[in-house]
Amino acid sequence: MQHTHNRQVLRQLHVALIRIISAFNRPQRDDELIAAAGISLDRALFPLLVVIGRLGPIAVGDLADRVGRDHTTVSRQVAKLGTLGLVQRKPAEYDRRVSELTATAEGQRMNAALDKAREQLAQDVLGTWETKDVEELTRLLTRLAGEIDPAAERPGASQSSRDA
């Protein structure tokens, strides 16, 4: 069943999403999270490590698409993550020409520290909210994310041979 939603409500939703995305995309926010996690990592590498940790194994091209960066730039940054011992690259099982990335044990440890810091920052923001409201927000945002980006629930679904 198709619903026609109030244009004003949809506009408010769009503005709220822009505000949230803008807040999350601020470099200072990444610096704050990195510091709270007690890790040493270049801010440019931070989102790559997080996405690899969450969605890996993931092809380089898919990673570049998800973080909104050029494939060549991401490939160089992934090489730095590899040099730091945080990610490893291996041929994909579905196409040996495609490189897939996974977090190493050290990369997973770093992501765990980031998760802990992220959880504390979320507690700071949502600490006064009722549990049921946080659960409902999570349910609705998860649903929205699934509608907007269904391939994210199945890593590898959007990968292609261009990622080689």
Side-chain angles (χ1 to χ4, degrees), residues 47-74:
L48 301 176
L49 180 62
V50 170
V51 172
I52 293 166
R54 288 283 188 266
L55 301 180
I58 185 170
V60 176
D62 194 24
L63 176 62
D65 289 344
R66 291 188 177 283
V67 297
R69 296 184 192 163
D70 175 76
H71 183 281
T72 306
T73 301
V74 168

